[in-house]
């Protein structure tokens, strides 16, 4: 092999090395592996995950794949009512966030209507944001879009 | 692979005798580190190599730079059983990872995250993912994109529809 050839090979390998080096910074957050994205998502409450899921398509896929972690368990809800006289019902609806250890009462007038009350009976409070609570109806979870109801807390 | 000349020549002479065995780790950019086996086995990957008796020569840590590997080793040292007297001190030391708003911190956390994943270090992986989660909490989708330098690959219609679906979460 002539000296010139050797030199050109060296030059080539140097160039490809530099090229490799240059392409390095591209390996960054946008290429974050899905399992790592999921690990980050698991550390966030549902409402934050939802915003994160809109960052890009890969992250949206992760959003649908991960399960709730113990910090973000569904809220606890207690709901009971009794008839005080014909046609009038008194009810108490409380929801509690087990992680933040906070308890909220749902306003009476919002829950007195018969159909709304039924909605609460089979609903599970999931998360809250900006004073709103997101409820999911258990028996509708298997549909494509779970039926979602919001109630403002006092 | 031949055993590389190590930086810590004094302690590298005999790596198997005595109470603590030393492992030699070589970073992607050629930096060599001598680490106690008891510390390095916090990495599940390295522990597997040690258990399989594959850690007798230099261990190449291909995807991790020397700078990052030094940070990883610092992490191991702090998390060695008995190294830090109390949990509070450890938490305080870990809190340096909590603020990653500026770009260089973000780069460090990214490098550490990659290293923690590659070397399979559960405690470090947990700390890094928590730091990222903490940093993006309360940010809007656009702010998150800016934070991660990610361009949206949704078309406008798609994104509008998704936002509408759960409008309450996107209102500030």
């Amino acid at each position: 092999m002539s000296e010139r050839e050797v030199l050109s090979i060296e030059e080539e390998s140097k160039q490809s090395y530099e090229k490799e080096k240059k392409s390095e910074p591209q390996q960054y957050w946008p290429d974050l592996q899905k399992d790592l994205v999921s690990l980050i998502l698991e550390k966030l409450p549902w409402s934050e995950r939802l915003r994160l899921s809109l960052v890009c398509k890969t992250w949206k896929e992760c959003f649908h794949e991960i399960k709730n972690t113990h910090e973000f368990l569904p809220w606890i809800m207690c709901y009971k009512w009794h008839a005080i006289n014909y046609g009038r019902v008194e009810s108490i609806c409380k929801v509690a966030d087990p992680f933040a250890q906070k308890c909220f009462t749902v306003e009476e007038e919002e829950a007195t209507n018969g159909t709304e009350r039924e909605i609460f009976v089979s609903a599970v409070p999931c998360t809250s944001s900006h004073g709103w609570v997101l409820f999911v109806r258990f028996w509708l979870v298997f549909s494509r879009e779970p039926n979602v109801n919001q109630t403002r807390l006092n | 692979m031949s055993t590389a000349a190590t930086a810590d020549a004094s302690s590298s002479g005999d790596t198997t005798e005595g109470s603590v065995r030393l492992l030699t780790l070589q970073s992607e950019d050629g930096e060599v580190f001598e680490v106690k086996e008891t510390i390095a086995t916090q990495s599940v990957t390295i522990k597997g190599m040690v258990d399989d008796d594959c850690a007798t020569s230099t261990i190449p840590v291909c995807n991790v730079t020397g700078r990052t590997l030094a940070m990883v080793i610092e992490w191991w040292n702090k998390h060695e059983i008995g190294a830090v007297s109390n949990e509070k001190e450890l938490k305080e030391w870990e809190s340096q990872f909590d603020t990653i708003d500026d770009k260089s911190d973000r780069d460090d956390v990214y490098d550490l995250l990659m290293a923690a994943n590659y070397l399979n270090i559960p405690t470090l992986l947990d700390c890094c993912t928590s730091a990222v989660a903490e940093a993006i909490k309360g940010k809007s989708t656009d702010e998150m994109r800016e934070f991660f330098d990610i361009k949206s690959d949704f078309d406008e219609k798609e994104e509008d529809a998704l936002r509408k679906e759960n409008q309450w979460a996107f209102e500030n």
Side-chain angles (χ1 to χ4, degrees):
Chain A
M1 196 185 284
S2 74
E3 202 179 319
R4 208 172 149 187
E5 271 176 299
V6 173
L7 272 175
S8 80
I9 288 170
E10 268 179 11
E11 190 60 31
E12 229 171 69
S13 68
K14 203 176 154 194
Q15 270 173 359
S16 72
Y17 175 73
E18 270 168 12
K19 211 171 143 194
E20 242 172 60
K21 231 181 153 185
K22 261 182 201 160
S23 66
E24 244 173 56
Q26 285 171 7
Q27 268 279 327
Y28 202 46
W29 295 107
D31 309 297
L32 201 62
Q33 289 157 253
K34 268 176 86 175
D35 54 337
L36 293 177
V37 176
S38 297
L39 283 178
I40 296 169
L41 281 167
E42 276 174 15
K43 302 259 161 75
L44 291 164
W46 202 87
S47 53
E48 299 276 349
R49 286 181 201 171
L50 196 64
R51 283 206 293 273
L52 201 58
S53 74
L54 264 191
V55 167
C56 64
K57 283 178 180 167
T58 322
W59 293 30
K60 185 167 176 282
E61 282 169 31
C62 298
F63 171 75
H64 290 295
E65 284 165 14
I66 59 163
K67 294 190 179 88
N68 258 320
T69 43
H70 71 282
E71 289 113 299
F72 304 111
L73 288 170
W75 287 20
I76 299 159
M77 185 168 78
C78 136
Y79 189 70
K80 77 177 193 187
W81 75 90
H82 62 273
I84 38 174
N85 54 42
Y86 191 75
R88 244 181 78 79
V89 168
E90 204 175 68
S91 62
I92 306 163
C93 179
K94 287 190 175 208
V95 282
D97 175 353
F99 190 63
Q101 300 205 323
K102 276 184 187 161
C103 191
F104 306 93
T105 309
V106 179
E107 277 171 30
E108 172 75 6
E109 61 264 35
E110 290 194 43
T112 43
N113 177 287
T115 47
E116 275 197 28
R117 201 163 41 231
E118 274 167 38
I119 280 166
F120 277 110
V121 171
S122 52
V124 175
C126 293
T127 186
S128 79
S129 176
H130 308 99
W132 290 80
V133 180
L134 177 78
F135 288 94
V136 175
R137 293 274 289 271
F138 243 134
W139 52 278
L140 278 172
V141 162
F142 299 102
S143 71
R144 275 176 65 100
E145 285 173 341
N147 189 6
V148 163
N149 281 286
Q150 297 168 1
T151 292
R152 190 167 275 280
L153 296 169
N154 52 359
Chain B
M1 181 178 287
S2 66
T3 313
T6 53
D8 253 352
S10 57
S11 56
S12 69
D14 201 342
T15 55
T16 47
E17 296 296 312
S19 54
V20 187
R21 197 172 116 173
L22 291 171
L23 300 179
T24 312
L25 306 181
Q26 187 173 28
S27 71
E28 177 194 61
D29 47 357
E31 261 187 82
V32 173
F33 297 86
E34 287 259 303
V35 191
K36 280 194 271 178
E37 185 191 290
T38 47
I39 284 177
T41 47
Q42 288 178 53
S43 149
V44 178
T45 311
I46 292 177
K47 189 170 187 308
M49 291 172 117
V50 170
D51 290 347
D52 294 343
D53 249 350
C54 300
T56 45
S57 57
T58 304
I59 302 169
V61 189
C62 316
N63 296 349
V64 184
T65 62
R67 189 172 170 273
T68 310
L69 194 54
M71 288 194 276
V72 170
I73 292 167
E74 197 189 344
W75 174 272
W76 284 339
N77 284 330
K78 285 276 177 192
H79 287 78
E80 188 191 14
I81 298 160
V84 178
S85 53
N86 60 53
E87 197 71 9
K88 203 181 150 209
E89 201 184 315
L90 192 62
K91 283 275 168 294
E92 257 173 44
W93 183 79
E94 278 179 11
S95 69
Q96 63 174 303
F97 299 100
D98 289 351
T99 44
I100 55 166
D101 275 337
D102 75 72
K103 176 112 173 54
S104 68
D105 288 338
R106 220 177 309 162
D107 291 352
D108 281 351
V109 168
Y110 179 81
D111 290 340
L112 278 172
L113 187 63
M114 289 296 118
N117 187 46
Y118 178 68
L119 290 169
N120 197 349
I121 311 163
T123 51
L124 184 58
L125 198 57
D126 186 62
C127 179
C128 292
T129 47
S130 294
V132 176
E134 205 50 51
I136 55 176
K137 229 177 231 180
K139 282 188 163 52
S140 70
T141 302
D142 290 330
E143 283 168 336
M144 286 175 184
R145 279 180 191 146
E146 201 181 315
F147 184 90
F148 292 115
D149 202 11
I150 291 177
K151 284 195 177 69
S152 168
D153 49 2
F154 293 109
D155 64 54
E156 222 170 283
K157 262 189 190 164
E158 243 177 327
E159 193 174 325
D160 278 350
L162 287 166
R163 276 176 194 268
K164 262 192 195 134
E165 224 172 80
N166 285 293
Q167 205 171 358
W168 64 280
F170 300 103
E171 282 168 359
N172 269 317

